[in-house]
Amino acid sequence: MHKPAEQFLELFLGSEIAHGTFTVSKSSSSVKQKGEASVVRQPTTLELWQKHLDGGTGLGIIPIRTDNFCYWGAIDIDDYTTEHKSLIKKLRKHSVPVMLGRTKSGGAHVWLFCKESVPAADMRRKLTELAAVLGYAKSEIFPKQEELLLDRGDLGNFLNMPYQANTRTVRYAFDDKGESLTAEEFLKESFKRRLSNDEFYALDMSKLFAGSKKVE
């Protein structure tokens, strides 16, 4: 069986040329965790994931790759009063094949994973539609770019990864009942929910929520 770090590297496969780092400020007392963020012009490695899981420097992954395709995307819900149990129940009620996680500040990440890469533009469209249906139309969508202008030096924007410090983390995912998942459980569930290209393009948020005047 592969180690968690190897599985995370595969699940969150992103940019081949850069990654992000985030170190929370020890003096930060605000609800939104503040810290130092930076982009490093080096590919993500197994060692970086292992340090992240061990509680070292937080790792950020840029989902868009140099060919403007991606293997995953996310809705970044920057609302620190998010009721995660209610949100996961909404998602499961309407059979949306995503995973839900808690951010470091108490917001939420909604991740959609694919077995094969899809155009970043298509991923953004799917998640923008989902965010709107859920009532979070103003949320950031990752990948944030549809196309990178590599000759201009574009790298893309990174999303902070879950399970920093593993069992001691505040960045964990939820099961269908809204209970926290271990890193290993999250990986198992996420790989089960990865979509093939056919499944991805057949995913129609409006149909999933058809008949609902509001998301309940």
Side-chain angles (χ1 to χ4, degrees), residues 13-211:
L13 188 62
S15 172
E16 315 96 310
I17 59 176
H19 66 273
T21 64
F22 187 88
T23 303
V24 176
S25 172
K26 293 182 179 179
S27 61
S28 177
S29 59
S30 61
V31 174
K32 182 175 178 61
Q33 292 289 298
K34 297 181 179 180
E36 183 177 348
S38 61
V39 175
V40 181
R41 288 178 176 269
Q42 294 178 359
T44 306
T45 64
L46 183 62
E47 289 72 24
L48 289 172
W49 263 111
Q50 192 60 61
K51 288 180 181 179
H52 173 87
L53 295 172
D54 289 342
T57 302
L59 181 62
I61 303 297
I62 301 168
I64 188 170
R65 295 170 62 81
T66 54
D67 60 1
N68 299 318
F69 278 60
C70 61
Y71 285 89
W72 62 276
I75 303 170
D76 182 13
I77 300 174
D78 205 17
D79 179 353
Y80 313 128
T81 63
T82 301
E83 295 184 3
H84 299 93
K85 285 190 176 183
S86 296
L87 183 52
I88 192 64
K89 287 180 180 178
K90 292 175 185 177
L91 292 165
R92 293 296 175 256
K93 177 181 178 181
H94 296 277
S95 302
V96 186
V98 295
M99 295 294 292
L100 175 69
R102 183 189 187 279
T103 68
K104 60 185 180 297
S105 299
H109 285 161
V110 180
W111 300 288
L112 178 63
F113 298 106
C114 294
K115 297 176 183 177
E116 307 157 86
S117 64
V118 299
D122 293 344
M123 178 66 77
R124 283 186 54 79
R125 277 193 286 272
K126 293 286 186 187
L127 292 177
T128 296
E129 183 181 1
L130 176 58
V133 173
L134 290 173
Y136 296 104
K138 295 183 179 180
S139 296
E140 288 186 299
I141 304 297
F142 287 77
K144 293 190 72 172
Q145 294 81 17
E146 295 186 358
E147 180 181 7
L148 295 179
L149 300 178
L150 297 176
D151 56 351
R152 195 179 67 182
D154 285 359
L155 295 174
N157 292 77
F158 70 84
L159 187 72
N160 287 312
M161 291 291 98
Y163 292 96
Q164 184 191 21
N166 205 336
T167 58
R168 306 187 305 280
T169 192
V170 295
R171 308 182 201 175
Y172 48 80
F174 299 92
D175 65 13
D176 293 356
K177 297 180 179 179
E179 302 298 327
S180 61
L181 292 168
T182 65
E184 290 77 8
E185 291 168 339
F186 165 73
L187 289 164
K188 182 178 179 180
E189 288 300 313
S190 297
F191 277 107
K192 281 170 53 177
R193 295 184 186 279
R194 286 198 305 174
L195 304 179
S196 66
N197 271 2
D198 287 344
E199 290 170 329
F200 175 80
Y201 284 107
L203 188 61
D204 187 329
M205 302 303 177
S206 61
K207 288 184 178 180
L208 290 179
F209 290 92

